[in-house]
Amino acid sequence: MGSAPSRGGSAPSRGGGSRAKGGVVVVGAGRLGTALARALAARGYEVRALVSRTAAHARRAAGRAGLDALALGANQLGRLPPSELIFITTPDGLVAETAGRLAALPSLGARVALHASGALSSEALAPLRARGVRTGSMHPLASVSDADAGAERLRGAFYCVEGEPAARAAARRVVRDLGGESFAVESRHKPLYHAAAVMTAGHVVALFDLALHTLARCGLPERRAQAVLLPLLRSVVGNLSTRTTRGALTGSFARGDVETVRKHLAALGRLGETDALEVYRLLGERSLRIAGRAGADGAAAAEIRRALKS
């Protein structure tokens, strides 16, 4: 099969992925949808249409993705071209509504529909399933903040796939084409799976923000505090890439350093901001459990636990 047709610019092909693999429609041209469209086009998929709130927004998204795909507003779903695969990349609260609107079209033409929500199961696409479309979900474990960097991160990422067998098979093929790896969870576990993902991504950002704010109280400007703390964060990720959590844990809780923990608690208490103190205590408890699995001194751990609760 030849290269995917280009009606203007197209995302650059990477890793020899220029062979056309089928027509795709992306409904929800936000950051994730735009990045996914760019990544798919670079791997030989013909992205036939992008849908956003307005046609103007969809045109801007197509431009960012380097595509000359049909740009449609949310009120123009009836103009969708036939495609083998529909991706629904809207916010979670709009997935079911979007599926219902697509299912109400006189002619749909898609064989498989996948949404990209981490928390929702394929049941959100029930109206499409009733129309004979195979339904599933394909959620990337990647942080997507813009189309260009996001497209790079989607290539080679891990993806959670779920849904009907034919939809899971289609999702796995897409993941392979993107150079990624897929794994499956049961539909009932999607919210729990997504909670783990949020703790790894969004909550780490929130924790880093709290650390920045705390270090800024020592007199460092925020930019400087970020520059100082980022190498530390990278070193932790490096440790986690080669060790278990108990092997990667370092610092006061791993050492059972009671006096240092008491100093931390006193300093955080003087800030007069309860969230920093509460987070330190909560994660300190978890750190003690990890240290315990690594064989830390039980008496020191008990004394630290008393300090955290006092």
Side-chain angles (χ1 to χ4, degrees), residues 95-152:
V95 170
E97 176 187 337
T98 302
R101 294 180 64 188
L102 289 169
L105 296 175
S107 176
L108 191 56
R111 291 179 293 183
V112 175
L114 299 169
H115 71 66
S117 166
L120 298 177
S121 76
S122 56
E123 190 58 33
L125 305 183
L128 287 169
R129 188 169 66 243
R131 284 285 306 273
V133 179
R134 303 307 181 193
T135 57
S137 64
M138 189 186 102
H139 178 255
L141 280 170
S143 179
V144 177
S145 57
D146 63 76
D148 292 341
E152 290 290 339

Side-chain angles (χ1 to χ4, degrees), residues 250-284:
T250 61
S252 308
F253 291 91
R255 297 191 302 268
D257 190 341
V258 181
E259 289 307 314
T260 298
V261 170
R262 285 178 176 150
K263 290 177 182 178
H264 293 168
L265 291 168
L268 290 169
R270 287 193 294 270
L271 285 180
E273 299 175 9
T274 58
D275 55 347
L277 187 56
E278 289 172 0
V279 167
Y280 184 91
R281 282 174 168 160
L282 183 63
L283 295 182

Side-chain angles (χ1 to χ4, degrees), residues 31-169:
R31 287 180 295 185
L32 175 57
T34 304
L36 179 62
R38 181 178 175 85
L40 290 171
R43 301 303 294 178
Y45 286 84
E46 181 191 358
V47 181
R48 294 176 180 169
L50 288 178
V51 182
S52 191
R53 294 185 304 275
T54 66
H57 188 277
R59 283 193 294 272
R60 288 193 294 271
R64 286 194 297 272
L67 301 170
D68 194 17
L70 182 63
L72 300 173
N75 61 346
Q76 298 175 302
L77 293 179
R79 295 180 55 198
L80 283 176
S83 63
E84 287 79 12
L85 180 59
I86 291 180
F87 279 100
I88 297 176
T89 53
T90 64
D92 286 12
L94 296 176
V95 170
E97 176 187 337
T98 302
R101 294 180 64 188
L102 289 169
L105 296 175
S107 176
L108 191 56
R111 291 179 293 183
V112 175
L114 299 169
H115 71 66
S117 166
L120 298 177
S121 76
S122 56
E123 190 58 33
L125 305 183
L128 287 169
R129 188 169 66 243
R131 284 285 306 273
V133 179
R134 303 307 181 193
T135 57
S137 64
M138 189 186 102
H139 178 255
L141 280 170
S143 179
V144 177
S145 57
D146 63 76
D148 292 341
E152 290 290 339
R153 288 169 183 160
L154 290 176
R155 290 191 278 270
F158 279 91
Y159 289 78
C160 178
V161 301
E162 169 271 340
E164 295 183 273
R168 291 201 309 270

Side-chain angles (χ1 to χ4, degrees), residues 199-223:
M199 284 188 280
T200 304
H203 283 183
V204 168
V205 173
L207 182 61
F208 191 77
D209 182 75
L210 184 59
L212 284 179
H213 182 72
T214 303
L215 188 55
R217 295 293 293 269
C218 300
L220 275 72
E222 183 175 335
R223 288 276 189 180

